[in-house]
Amino acid sequence: MTSYLTDVRNTSEVSRLLTDISPEIVFHLAAQPLVRRSYHDPLETWSTNVMGTANVLEACRQTASVKAVVVITTDKVYENQEWPWGYRENDRIGGHDPYSASKAATELVTDSYRKSFFNRSDSPLLATARAGNVIGGGDWSRDRLIPDIFRAAESGIPLEIRSPKASRPWQHVLECLSGYLLLGQKLLDRQKEHAEAWNFGPEIDSNRTVEEVLTTLKQYWADFNWEITTQPQPHETTLLYLDSAKAKARLGWEPVWTLQEALAATSDWYLNFNTDGKAISKKQLTDFIVSANSKNANWITP
């Protein structure tokens, strides 16, 4: 594939790239994606997530080839009430920390563009997608549980855990990607009823605490240990769960891997990379498609 690297905050460069590439469909995933980093640099977070998205949408509006746009936000766009049930797409959006609030604002920017500019019969169809806590090989970001475990195992220093009882909707990255692609296909097929917000989260039994995930991963990384930090921490959500009933009913999308399978695949990726420096992403994609086929996932084609 051809790769172009730029900053989504650079309005003219984003516009130039879309004009040069002339895509039919745009998946917008560029973001400042870390909660704790948003506390350290809120302006970077707001400018990247909100104005960066506006730049991408404006460039799409000005590019005649674009027929569909999928904007990826997060499960944290919802105004968190610490409910024991899942958030649905029509629940109120909001955010405490700059990251969550900026992503909720991203949803508002997208909805505004859909209503103001993408409202003609020949306009591109525009949707947003909200995933859970995504895991999988190749993630090296700080303040994410599994990359931090990998670094702790390598260094021999116990991993500091902030919120062991915090519960999250863990899912492998290939799960939500299958949902994004399926949604994008519906938009390219001019199915206007799909130009709205969608949750792509795991099954309810994949909602586990950080402590439970650590205990499971210990069987793959025997060399790492953890300790609970006593230092004061900025606010983070304790309980979060996505309800994906809409995607199941209207798109026919469902998760493929259990949490155990997702954790095993993720651990396997890092362990293989650590052993021989090779990424096994293509093999895992094949494994995922085989599993999806065995479960009759509707996005599988012969």
Side-chain angles (χ1 to χ4, degrees):
M1 73 177 59
T2 303
S3 177
Y4 305 88
L5 299 180
T6 192
D7 189 331
V8 290
R9 293 173 293 185
N10 187 328
T11 305
S12 60
E13 184 66 9
V14 171
S15 179
R16 184 189 68 80
L17 280 177
L18 259 73
T19 298
D20 291 348
I21 297 166
S22 296
E24 283 190 305
I25 185 168
V26 174
F27 293 89
H28 173 46
L29 294 89
Q32 191 300 93
L34 303 173
V35 172
R36 286 167 63 83
R37 180 169 168 174
S38 77
Y39 280 109
H40 295 299
D41 198 342
L43 293 183
E44 175 205 38
T45 302
W46 282 99
S47 62
T48 301
N49 294 350
V50 181
M51 286 309 302
T53 298
N55 285 339
V56 170
L57 293 177
E58 182 64 17
C60 289
R61 183 167 81 98
Q62 303 294 341
T63 305
S65 63
V66 175
K67 296 181 174 63
V69 185
V70 180
V71 175
I72 313 306
T73 59
T74 175
D75 55 354
K76 297 176 182 63
V77 298
Y78 295 105
E79 186 175 277
N80 194 283
Q81 305 292 330
E82 303 291 343
W83 286 331
W85 55 82
Y87 291 91
R88 295 186 173 184
E89 290 85 348
N90 57 356
D91 282 325
R92 184 172 178 172
I93 61 174
H96 183 287
D97 57 88
Y99 167 73
S100 301
S102 71
K103 282 296 196 174
T106 297
E107 290 277 354
L108 292 176
V109 168
T110 305
D111 189 53
S112 171
Y113 261 81
R114 181 167 44 231
K115 292 173 179 175
S116 301
F117 306 115
F118 294 175
N119 55 2
R120 301 190 311 271
S121 60
D122 59 345
S123 295
L125 295 182
L126 174 59
T128 59
R130 307 159 181 176
N133 265 48
V134 177
I135 61 175
D139 182 3
W140 304 108
S141 298
R142 294 198 173 275
D143 294 322
R144 281 189 176 152
L145 185 62
I146 293 180
D148 285 347
I149 288 173
F150 177 82
R151 284 185 283 266
E154 288 293 289
S155 67
I157 300 173
L159 176 62
E160 284 195 356
I161 298 298
R162 303 184 299 274
S163 306
K165 301 301 182 183
S167 179
R168 294 288 185 270
W170 309 94
Q171 64 185 142
H172 196 275
V173 63
L174 294 175
E175 302 282 13
C176 52
L177 291 179
S178 69
Y180 304 162
L181 291 169
L182 179 60
L183 176 58
Q185 179 186 350
K186 301 292 186 184
L187 300 182
L188 277 180
D189 290 341
R190 303 304 298 171
Q191 297 183 23
K192 295 182 180 181
E193 67 274 17
H194 293 106
E196 51 191 30
W198 298 85
N199 287 344
F200 295 102
E203 300 290 6
I204 190 169
D205 60 1
S206 292
N207 235 61
R208 304 286 179 83
T209 65
V210 169
E211 190 172 43
E212 289 174 313
V213 171
L214 287 169
T215 301
T216 301
L217 289 172
K218 183 71 173 174
Q219 64 184 287
Y220 304 108
W221 276 305
D223 295 334
F224 95 90
N225 292 292
W226 68 88
E227 57 188 28
I228 301 172
T229 182
T230 58
Q231 296 298 315
Q233 300 295 320
H235 175 273
E236 291 186 76
T237 299
T238 301
L239 181 62
L240 183 59
Y241 171 54
L242 284 180
D243 185 328
S244 302
K246 176 180 168 182
K248 292 177 182 178
R250 291 177 52 189
L251 294 175
W253 175 88
E254 288 195 58
V256 172
W257 279 345
T258 64
L259 178 59
Q260 186 70 38
E261 290 171 321
L263 290 172
T266 303
S267 302
D268 196 32
W269 194 99
Y270 286 101
L271 291 170
N272 272 272
F273 188 86
N274 188 49
T275 300
D276 56 22
K278 293 181 179 180
I280 58 171
S281 303
K282 287 185 178 180
K283 175 186 178 300
Q284 292 196 335
L285 176 57
T286 299
D287 293 342
F288 182 78
I289 291 173
V290 169
S291 296
N293 195 32
S294 70
K295 295 184 178 181
N296 296 315
N298 75 331
W299 49 264
I300 289 290
T301 55

